[in-house]
Amino acid sequence: MHQQQLDYAAVRAAADRIAGGIRPVAVAPAADGVWYALEHLQHTGSFKARGARNFLAAHHRAGTLPAAGVTIASGGNAGLACAWAARAQAVPATVFLPANAPRVKVERLRGYGAEVRLVGDRYAQALEACREFAAESGALSSHAYDHPLIAAGAGTLLDEIRTALPGLDTVVVAVGGGGLFAGVATAAREHGVRVIAAEPENCRALNAALAAGRPMDVEVDSVAADSLGATRVSADALAAARHGNVRSVLVPDAAITAARRFLWEEHRLVVEAAAATAVAALRGATEPPGERVAVILCGANTDPGDLVTPGA
């Protein structure tokens, strides 16, 4: 395939490729002037399905999807999405995980038809094994977030939200490695929509990159680290964040935990801490973010047990 770049044309092309293959986002009123974009209802339980579908569909159309299929190192939402999208293209998916990965994640991946290979006890070891496998087998190597096709697929969310909410002023999105943010911010800029980029205080890869002027490694320690715990943000995310329509916001873990419980108690929505991070940023806002605000609830791959009071 020719070199990809992340721009609005790439987001529109992604929307064409994945049409009919993903669930269009539902948007529900939450409070006066605030709506929730219920992307946690997406296939595989997160927005990642969009990018994975776009990534594989683009390679399929270009004739560059190898018989060996696709490979990725991820026990989280990206791995699930990759396995699901590979099944849709009828190609193999080989997913590498540390040997101590939770059994439930392994079983879910196998449920999507993926071959799961357990290597080492750290993600870095699984990643290295994944790279070796790709080199030896010819399998297409996918990334959890740092690829223009992955980000463009995620960015299709913004136009769907605008269709449901004409006159959208602001969108609030949680940031980990920056794939969702980069895609959404790219599309938002096209339409003059403001973006609030929400990160946990101790998972601030984008915020730190903005301060340093370049992507840099950060320490990761947060209740939302399971899905927002990227140590370094993508270059595309940093480029998108440098535009005037973007504001970086940090939220404490206590606010994330409270927001996740609020979503359950007030709306009966079970989401992962990453989604609650976006809600926490809005709840902690000191100034009105706009007249029509959408908060992206990005995923729901979480254990709801801690939300339900025993015996209640």
Side-chain angles (χ1 to χ4, degrees), residues 131-222:
R131 287 173 178 155
E132 290 174 7
F133 172 78
E136 293 166 5
S137 68
L140 179 65
S141 189
S142 184
H143 195 280
Y145 59 86
D146 193 2
H147 191 285
L149 286 169
I150 298 287
T156 59
L157 249 178
L158 195 277
D159 280 349
E160 290 181 16
I161 295 170
R162 286 184 64 251
T163 298
L165 274 180
L168 176 70
D169 291 305
T170 302
V171 62
V172 188
V173 57
V175 185
L180 175 61
F181 163 75
V184 165
T186 297
R189 189 167 69 249
E190 181 77 13
H191 302 295
V193 174
R194 291 186 294 274
V195 182
I196 295 176
E199 294 177 284
E201 286 179 343
N202 296 320
C203 264
R204 51 185 292 265
L206 178 64
N207 186 270
L210 282 167
R214 59 179 175 80
M216 59 178 293
D217 288 340
V218 296
E219 292 293 319
V220 168
D221 180 18
S222 168

Side-chain angles (χ1 to χ4, degrees), residues 4-22:
Q4 297 289 323
Q5 64 175 351
L6 181 61
D7 54 20
Y8 186 60
V11 176
R12 294 304 308 148
D16 172 62
R17 284 189 207 103
I18 69 176
I22 52 99

Side-chain angles (χ1 to χ4, degrees), residues 268 307-312:
R268 283 301 185 256
L307 292 171
V308 182
T309 305

Side-chain angles (χ1 to χ4, degrees), residues 36-135:
Y36 293 147
L38 308 178
E39 185 64 1
H40 66 297
L41 302 178
Q42 188 53 261
H43 291 289
T44 76
S46 89
F47 74 93
K48 298 277 191 183
R50 294 174 181 268
R53 187 92 186 204
N54 185 48
F55 180 74
L56 290 183
H59 278 281
H60 177 74
R61 289 190 183 186
T64 52
L65 191 53
V70 64
T71 186
I72 191 170
S74 169
N77 293 338
L80 289 169
C82 182
W84 169 81
R87 185 178 66 176
Q89 293 290 351
V91 297
T94 307
V95 182
F96 287 80
L97 298 176
N100 54 4
R103 178 138 227 82
V104 63
K105 289 188 175 181
V106 173
E107 293 308 320
R108 281 196 71 190
L109 286 164
R110 287 180 176 148
Y112 285 127
E115 178 182 342
V116 179
R117 298 195 182 183
L118 302 174
V119 179
D121 57 7
R122 297 195 317 278
Y123 172 74
Q125 292 168 293
L127 181 61
E128 183 57 33
C130 178
R131 287 173 178 155
E132 290 174 7
F133 172 78

